[in-house]
Amino acid sequence: MRTRIAVPDNNLTRLRIALTVFFALDGFVFAGWVVRIPAIKEQTGASASALGLALLGVSAGAVITMMLTGRLCRRYGTHRVTVVCAVLLSLSVALPPLTHSAVALGAVLLVFGAAYGSINVAFNSAAVDLVGALRRPIMPSFHAAFSLGGMLGAGLGGLVAGALSPTRHLFGLTVIGLLVTAVAGRTLLRIPAPTLSQEVPRQTSAPRPQGTRTRGLVITFGLIALCTAYGEGALADWSALHLEHDLDATPGVAAVGYSCFALAMTIGRLTGTRLLERLGQTRTLVGGGTTAALGMLLGALAPSVWAALLGFMITGLGLANLFPVAVERAGRLAGPDGVAIASTLGYGGMLLGPPAIGFMADWFSLPAALTSVAALAATAAVIALLTRRAAG
């Protein structure tokens, strides 16, 4: 027996468009920041390890606020929280170029990370509700918008890197972010989140797991998200430095590295719905993790810039649908709490990865440190394979 959705179909379409815009804005702003990391590193005079510690501010701010954001979403609604966090994200991205030391950079990145982590929990929770209302596996399309935004943000950053200072560039992102939020936010504030008008009848067969088993499965999907998002964070913050310092690429070409990765993820996610319908979740997770591991080995160890760029693209294709599948499945198992737990683990991996790469780069080398992305992608594939029966 199907439930009825208390939001008209045309409003669901408008909500989908608005949420897609916010996903894209998030990727655009974040990528705009990461492509200017080399310039800000030089401005602050930070070593690789000091920069890694400063980047830990993003991780700390995000992880601390993610569970709190889940509570705020339950109290005030995912739509309101998404709009407020978008404003905070847009304002905070202008802060890093105003710093001149690693300590100050870490402090402002704490604020930026809090806004970034909060908006990701908020709009992922809103997206899970909308996926349930539409009854279609469209979660990859939202994350495709994030990747497209990242590609555009990185591409724009590469174009303006030689013409604009980081201060002017990131202030421009603030203006763009506030304008987009003002337009798309009106839809979220006017239309309530989809809700069920009647309760789902108790199933007579194959009941959903409850209690400890549900939480265990949610954490399992959260670990898959962590392993794969670690690679996203590492490539976002270190791909440009790897190309520029290890392979002697120009600053413009180095900025293209993350753009190639984001483009590949966009393509993979745009085809994610069909892929899931044909292969199922387990095969998608296992195949994606294996592909990403092989691609990252090429990207990290290749002797030329173009081979490394190819490796980044293969990695993007492999990682494309792992995070959306993990978060959406956790949300289906445990609702908003599942989204919050999986998002916290997943984005914790994305944001803890960069400082870990920084320490390993100082201990060994940056190419060797980047091979850890391949190791964790393979780990995600193994977890998906071993838990395929329980997840089913």
Side-chain angles (χ1 to χ4, degrees):
M1 181 176 179
R2 294 185 176 182
T3 58
R4 295 180 180 178
I5 305 301
V7 179
D9 289 344
N10 61 329
N11 282 347
L12 293 179
T13 300
R14 294 173 61 194
L15 282 179
R16 182 177 181 180
I17 294 172
L19 284 174
T20 300
V21 169
F22 276 108
F23 271 85
L25 176 65
D26 187 44
F28 180 80
V29 171
F30 188 73
W33 142 247
V34 300
V35 299
R36 301 316 296 257
I37 287 177
I40 294 176
K41 177 180 182 293
E42 182 178 353
Q43 173 181 303
T44 58
S47 65
S49 58
L51 178 62
L53 284 174
L55 293 173
L56 189 61
V58 183
S59 309
V63 172
I64 289 172
T65 57
M66 276 181 169
M67 295 306 297
L68 174 62
T69 304
R71 297 176 183 177
L72 293 175
C73 287
R74 288 192 295 273
R75 182 171 182 177
Y76 299 105
T78 57
H79 293 180
R80 290 182 180 179
V81 176
T82 296
V83 173
V84 172
C85 290
V87 172
L88 295 177
L89 181 71
S90 300
L91 294 174
S92 62
V93 74
L95 298 178
L98 303 180
T99 63
H100 293 86
S101 70
V103 174
L105 179 62
V108 300
L109 289 181
L110 186 70
V111 178
F112 179 70
Y116 179 73
S118 296
I119 193 173
N120 276 280
V121 171
F123 62 38
N124 269 296
S125 297
V128 169
D129 290 339
L130 186 57
V131 168
L134 294 174
R135 299 184 179 277
R136 294 185 58 202
I138 62 169
M139 194 65 156
S141 70
F142 292 117
H143 290 260
F146 173 84
S147 298
L148 179 60
M151 181 189 69
L152 294 176
L156 177 63
L159 290 175
V160 305
L164 294 180
S165 66
T167 301
R168 292 183 177 181
H169 175 202
L170 297 187
F171 180 75
L173 296 186
T174 294
V175 174
I176 294 173
L178 292 177
L179 290 175
V180 171
T181 300
V183 175
R186 296 175 64 185
T187 298
L188 292 190
L189 295 178
R190 289 179 177 179
I191 302 177
T195 56
L196 300 180
S197 60
Q198 61 185 45
E199 295 186 3
V200 181
R202 181 176 298 176
Q203 297 177 352
T204 57
S205 62
R208 289 172 62 179
Q210 301 294 330
T212 303
R213 185 163 182 258
T214 296
R215 180 170 293 271
L217 288 174
V218 168
I219 292 174
T220 296
F221 280 100
L223 290 176
I224 293 175
L226 184 154
C227 290
T228 57
Y230 175 97
E232 293 187 51
L235 283 168
D237 285 2
W238 293 103
S239 60
L241 286 172
H242 171 56
L243 294 173
E244 186 172 343
H245 293 173
D246 297 320
L247 300 177
D248 297 323
T250 64
V253 173
V256 170
Y258 182 69
S259 184
C260 289
F261 172 76
L263 172 62
M265 290 200 76
T266 302
I267 294 172
R269 286 171 170 173
L270 287 173
T271 59
T273 298
R274 292 186 179 182
L275 189 67
L276 286 168
E277 290 173 345
R278 296 190 63 178
L279 299 181
Q281 290 185 350
T282 297
R283 290 182 180 179
T284 299
L285 293 174
V286 174
T290 303
T291 300
L294 296 175
M296 197 60 229
L297 287 177
L298 175 62
L301 304 178
S304 68
V305 172
W306 303 113
L309 292 176
L310 176 61
F312 291 163
M313 294 191 70
I314 295 174
T315 303
L317 289 173
L319 293 180
N321 295 301
L322 305 194
F323 191 92
V325 169
V327 171
E328 193 271 337
R329 181 57 173 163
R332 290 181 61 191
L333 285 170
D337 289 337
V339 174
I341 293 172
S343 296
T344 300
L345 289 171
Y347 284 102
M350 173 182 285
L351 300 171
L352 288 171
I357 294 289
F359 283 112
M360 287 187 285
D362 274 353
W363 295 335
F364 307 105
S365 68
L366 183 53
L370 289 174
T371 61
S372 63
V373 175
L376 287 184
T379 300
V382 171
I383 293 175
L385 184 63
L386 294 178
T387 60
R388 61 189 183 278
R389 293 185 179 180

